[in-house]
Amino acid sequence: NVSCDFSITCPQCLVQMSRIIISCKILLITGVMITPGICEGYLLKRRKWPLKGWHKRYFVLEGGTLRYSKSHQDVSRGRVQGSLDVSLAVMSINKKSNRIDLDTGDILYHIKVNVLNKCCAKQRNSVSSYLNDKCYVFPPQRQRVMTSSTFGMNKLITNLIILLFTYLEASTTRKYRASISRTPNNFVPKSTGRRTALPAHCPDNSHVGLMAILYNNIGKDLARVSMPAALNEPVNLLQRLCEELEYSELLDVANNTPDPYQRMVYIAAFAISGYTTATFRNRYKPFNPVLGETYECIREDRGFRFISEQVCHHPPISACHAESENFTFWQDQRWKNKFWGKSLEILPTGMVNVTLSRYGDHYEWNKVVTCIHNVLSQQRYLEHYGEVTIQNLKNSTCTCKITFVKSRYWGSDTNKNEVQGTVLDQGGSVIHRFGGLWHEGIFCDTLPTPKCIWKPNSQPKDYLQFYGFSTFAMELNELTPDLRPFLPPTDTRLRPDQRMLEEGNVSGADRKKDEIEELQRERRKELAKKGSEHTPRFFRKAKDSSGRDVWLNTGTYWELRQNPGFAKLENITLW
Ligand SMILES: *[C@@H]1O[C@H](CO)[C@@H](O)[C@H](O)[C@H]1NC(C)=O
Ligand SMILES: *[C@@H]1O[C@H](CO)[C@@H](O)[C@H](O)[C@H]1NC(C)=O
Ligand SMILES: *[C@@H]1O[C@H](CO)[C@@H](O)[C@H](O)[C@H]1NC(C)=O
Ligand SMILES: *[C@@H]1O[C@H](CO)[C@@H](O)[C@H](O)[C@H]1NC(C)=O
Ligand SMILES: *[C@@H]1O[C@H](CO)[C@@H](O)[C@H](O)[C@H]1NC(C)=O
């Protein structure tokens, strides 16, 4: 029996802990007991919200369960703050920072020690040699323990998963969410003359095993691994940006609200509404646009027109710009990803900008982290967490802070998808409070008449057969004969693989998708040979006041569309 005492300053404890965790996994998978043991003592645990930072906690690892409390006394009194089955968690060891990350699928645990120089060299060396042999242990259902010899796969898997799910910005939750009835909106959507269904039902992709794709592509050039079209939905990332305008009427209301604090409440509701678009979208991912691909969307009924363009390939950046009599809206979307073994965190880095015509306001805000839990399994669900700060760059009268609350304990759904926000005056006093759930609606009780300020529209009939799309999402890729002659040949609506998928021809879509991706690689090679770079057509790169790259609309799209018309212009052939 091995046992040890944790101590915040002793890295040997982490080694011991990781050994015991691996033993638990081996026991679970093979039934072979290697070194059972008990460890307990104080370690540092990271907390994301509230009180972000490292906190000292008392840990006990026994019988394959890791429990922790605030103090030793709490443990003996049975007051446990959290516990997890270590054999089911994916563990990764970060040698440099003396940290162990445990990913249970629902929660990410970060645990570390603070090594002080008093820590003897001998001990440090043994830790170093052990941690060099970095282990990455897969969940038991894989029936496989990965050790240093197979460790090279870690990076490959990370990259593939990122490739698979990049920019899956959708929000969705566990399957049971589908059964929560959405109380219908007061307002009955007017008929827009647009389609209310897709031409074909979505394909069943439950047989497409992501793990199988990963294993089958080991050793291949990542850029050449093509993902099956059956994983996709017939909407791409350029169209997804437009989907953030599904509730643009909130901006219309804001532009007609004289009180600056109330106006801010509507801006905040708009910022939150962008996360609801895909509550039911956990089974598919959007198409990745090819470099130079564009998308336009004219909505006379909503009073705005929108364009977007894929402006950069490495890293992928999609820029967009929308305008109406009431507002303008623009952003360039880019991401960073962190893969923890079972969960993928997507960290957006761009800012969203909105101006209102009547008051000259210019609002700017950041986006929150989206985490895809259980990314490799069908139990995938999404969570948004973090803080949004909305500033009005033209007038500092008020600011707004929104918190997307991280669910604290798995198993407890009470605060799943919760959002809370406040509108503050210049002195920092709270003028308005609002809150709710990002998939159900936002309520503000500090307005002169307390009311629901936003609620998602009810889902169309048979939406589960149509990728979980809302009515607005179904309209995004609609191509009507009267629109066709006006579109540039780079418009997403004309992209054949996405169209085939929409029409239910999955094998055709697969083949065409490969061709389009190959064409893109050839174009890139050609450009590289000539030593030149792709130049976006409707956005140009600039630096903002803080020296960051931004992509600004050149404002030429609508003019060119009208005169001379895209049919008369030179264009690149994307497919
Ligand atoms: C601007 O907002 C007002 C008030 O909500 C609305 O009546 C009007 O239709 C909006 N304009 C457009 C072009 O949609
Ligand atoms: C949004 O506006 C601010 C202020 O003008 C600017 O710094 C930022 O770069 C803008 N973002 C984009 C994507 O244009
Ligand atoms: C800022 O907004 C307040 C409230 O609407 C207004 O009184 C003030 O004049 C504005 N300041 C500027 C610089 O526009
Ligand atoms: C699917 O698309 C391919 C390629 O265009 C075509 O050859 C095939 O006939 C299509 N299948 C169906 C069922 O439409
Ligand atoms: C651009 O696209 C249009 C419509 O597809 C086509 O008629 C035209 O020939 C293309 N121009 C060039 C230079 O390829």
Side-chain angles (χ1 to χ4, degrees):
N1 251 5
V2 185
S3 61
C4 95
D5 280 325
F6 292 146
S7 131
I8 282 181
T9 55
C10 168
Q12 190 61 38
C13 292
L14 278 190
V15 173
Q16 188 57 26
M17 182 168 157
S18 59
R19 278 193 180 141
I20 294 178
I21 291 175
I22 291 165
S23 306
C24 294
K25 285 167 185 294
I26 293 174
L27 176 65
L28 191 86
I29 296 164
T30 64
V32 179
M33 176 99 74
I34 301 180
T35 44
I38 303 173
C39 283
E40 62 179 288
Y42 285 100
L43 294 172
L44 298 174
K45 176 179 173 297
R46 193 164 84 188
R47 210 157 129 170
K48 284 204 172 160
W49 187 94
L51 298 178
K52 196 162 135 180
W54 293 94
H55 297 261
K56 195 170 145 183
R57 291 288 177 267
Y58 197 83
F59 282 86
V60 179
L61 174 55
E62 186 179 7
T65 303
L66 183 66
R67 285 171 292 141
Y68 68 92
S69 306
K70 276 213 170 117
S71 66
H72 189 193
Q73 290 88 319
D74 276 7
V75 174
S76 33
R77 286 193 211 114
R79 261 196 246 153
V80 175
Q81 277 194 313
S83 77
L84 74 145
D85 181 346
V86 291
S87 59
L88 296 173
V90 174
M91 173 175 67
S92 43
I93 302 169
N94 190 317
K95 177 184 149 195
K96 245 195 243 154
S97 48
N98 289 303
R99 197 181 81 210
I100 286 183
D101 301 315
L102 288 166
D103 183 350
T104 67
D106 287 306
I107 295 196
L108 273 171
Y109 291 90
H110 308 283
I111 300 163
K112 74 165 186 177
V113 293
N114 252 354
V115 182
L116 304 177
N117 292 330
K118 75 181 185 232
C119 183
C120 69
K122 200 168 144 204
Q123 202 178 33
R124 251 186 301 160
N125 285 341
S126 77
V127 171
S128 198
S129 65
Y130 184 81
L131 291 183
N132 260 335
D133 201 18
K134 189 168 166 182
C135 290
Y136 203 89
V137 183
F138 256 66
Q141 61 265 33
R142 301 308 324 153
Q143 297 292 310
R144 182 163 185 174
V145 180
M146 308 193 93
T147 50
S148 50
S149 58
T150 43
F151 174 67
M153 278 201 46
N154 179 19
K155 200 169 162 53
L156 173 98
I157 289 174
T158 307
N159 286 338
L160 274 171
I161 291 178
I162 287 167
L163 206 73
L164 277 171
F165 286 95
T166 332
Y167 332 115
L168 178 73
E169 195 234 359
S171 46
T172 184
T173 47
R174 286 172 215 269
K175 285 204 176 101
Y176 69 80
R177 285 281 176 212
S179 64
I180 293 181
S181 66
R182 285 187 168 198
T183 29
N185 234 335
N186 298 338
F187 115 149
V188 182
K190 280 181 292 212
S191 168
T192 55
R194 286 163 201 262
R195 68 182 180 186
T196 54
L198 298 180
H201 284 171
C202 49
D204 174 17
N205 68 5
S206 55
H207 63 284
V208 183
L210 297 187
M211 270 327 267
I213 298 171
L214 301 181
Y215 280 108
N216 292 338
N217 285 294
I218 291 170
K220 287 196 191 152
D221 176 2
L222 275 183
R224 288 179 177 274
V225 176
S226 184
M227 297 300 156
L231 290 174
N232 285 17
E233 55 180 26
V235 146
N236 82 355
L237 291 165
L238 299 173
Q239 293 167 316
R240 273 287 185 85
L241 285 176
C242 188
E243 217 179 329
E244 291 185 18
L245 288 170
E246 179 161 4
Y247 298 94
S248 62
E249 70 261 22
L250 289 165
L251 295 179
D252 293 333
V253 174
N255 194 43
N256 290 282
T257 303
D259 180 275
Y261 304 105
Q262 289 181 29
R263 206 183 306 145
M264 188 61 111
V265 173
Y266 286 99
I267 297 290
F270 173 76
I272 296 165
S273 74
Y275 289 94
T276 201
T277 49
T279 304
F280 304 101
R281 307 262 283 273
N282 63 330
R283 292 176 300 154
Y284 304 88
K285 68 173 205 72
F287 274 85
N288 289 330
V290 292
L291 189 57
E293 193 168 334
T294 60
Y295 175 70
E296 69 160 54
C297 183
I298 304 175
R299 296 295 305 230
E300 294 93 349
D301 56 328
R302 292 161 186 261
F304 71 76
R305 57 186 192 180
F306 168 98
I307 65 153
S308 50
E309 179 176 6
Q310 190 70 3
V311 293
C312 184
H313 189 70
H314 279 303
I317 302 174
S318 318
C320 73
H321 189 267
E323 60 206 23
S324 111
E325 135 197 309
N326 288 316
F327 65 86
T328 56
F329 163 92
W330 73 98
Q331 61 175 318
D332 48 32
Q333 185 129 276
R334 42 187 119 190
W335 296 263
K336 281 185 191 153
N337 297 289
K338 279 191 196 165
F339 178 55
W340 299 101
K342 280 190 172 184
S343 320
L344 178 70
E345 282 188 318
I346 300 169
L347 303 97
T349 54
M351 302 288 264
V352 183
N353 280 292
V354 163
T355 59
L356 295 183
S357 54
R358 179 171 305 194
Y359 304 99
D361 293 349
H362 179 162
Y363 300 95
E364 187 197 53
W365 67 87
N366 61 296
K367 290 187 159 179
V368 294
V369 173
T370 296
C371 183
I372 312 174
H373 292 282
N374 300 318
V375 68
L376 289 174
S377 82
Q378 294 283 316
Q379 277 75 51
R380 239 183 344 256
Y381 68 97
L382 273 81
E383 189 185 2
H384 305 297
Y385 45 81
E387 302 218 329
V388 175
T389 304
I390 309 179
Q391 276 179 295
N392 180 356
L393 304 174
K394 286 285 158 67
N395 191 321
S396 55
T397 302
C398 66
T399 53
C400 176
K401 287 206 186 309
I402 310 171
T403 303
F404 284 73
V405 181
K406 191 165 166 39
S407 63
R408 263 156 282 189
Y409 299 104
W410 74 108
S412 146
D413 284 327
T414 46
N415 64 346
K416 269 255 154 75
N417 301 347
E418 192 180 330
V419 201
Q420 299 164 354
T422 47
V423 173
L424 308 164
D425 70 10
Q426 222 153 1
S429 306
V430 174
I431 308 295
H432 288 297
R433 275 179 205 287
F434 54 88
L437 303 171
W438 54 253
H439 70 294
E440 285 194 340
I442 299 295
F443 194 87
C444 181
D445 53 12
T446 49
L447 292 174
T449 35
K451 63 176 168 183
C452 175
I453 32 178
W454 165 78
K455 206 185 245 190
N457 296 325
S458 47
Q459 285 288 96
K461 205 167 133 277
D462 298 334
Y463 66 93
L464 285 176
Q465 270 83 57
F466 295 125
Y467 303 87
F469 281 2
S470 66
T471 304
F472 189 68
M474 287 202 199
E475 295 163 351
L476 289 170
N477 202 43
E478 184 176 16
L479 180 57
T480 52
D482 54 327
L483 179 63
R484 195 181 191 115
F486 293 101
L487 295 177
T490 50
D491 194 280
T492 301
R493 284 186 193 79
L494 303 171
R495 189 170 158 164
D497 52 348
Q498 189 172 317
R499 184 63 59 193
M500 281 181 194
L501 178 69
E502 188 184 284
E503 288 166 352
N505 185 347
V506 180
S507 57
D510 249 334
R511 233 168 302 141
K512 201 71 205 173
K513 186 165 162 289
D514 278 354
E515 276 173 41
I516 292 172
E517 285 165 2
E518 187 54 40
L519 272 174
Q520 165 158 265
R521 281 189 284 272
E522 276 164 24
R523 278 196 306 279
R524 208 168 38 233
K525 264 191 239 150
E526 278 305 307
L527 279 176
K529 243 193 256 163
K530 284 189 259 167
S532 65
E533 257 187 13
H534 170 84
T535 317
R537 234 172 141 187
F538 307 109
F539 291 84
R540 68 182 159 77
K541 199 169 165 176
K543 295 261 184 230
D544 72 5
S545 52
S546 42
R548 266 176 45 103
D549 283 345
V550 280
W551 294 88
L552 299 175
N553 185 225
T554 55
T556 52
Y557 185 93
W558 302 108
E559 287 164 34
L560 292 173
R561 187 183 195 271
Q562 202 178 0
N563 185 23
F566 289 117
K568 298 210 177 89
L569 287 166
E570 292 253 333
N571 40 58
I572 47 171
T573 307
L574 298 181
W575 41 72

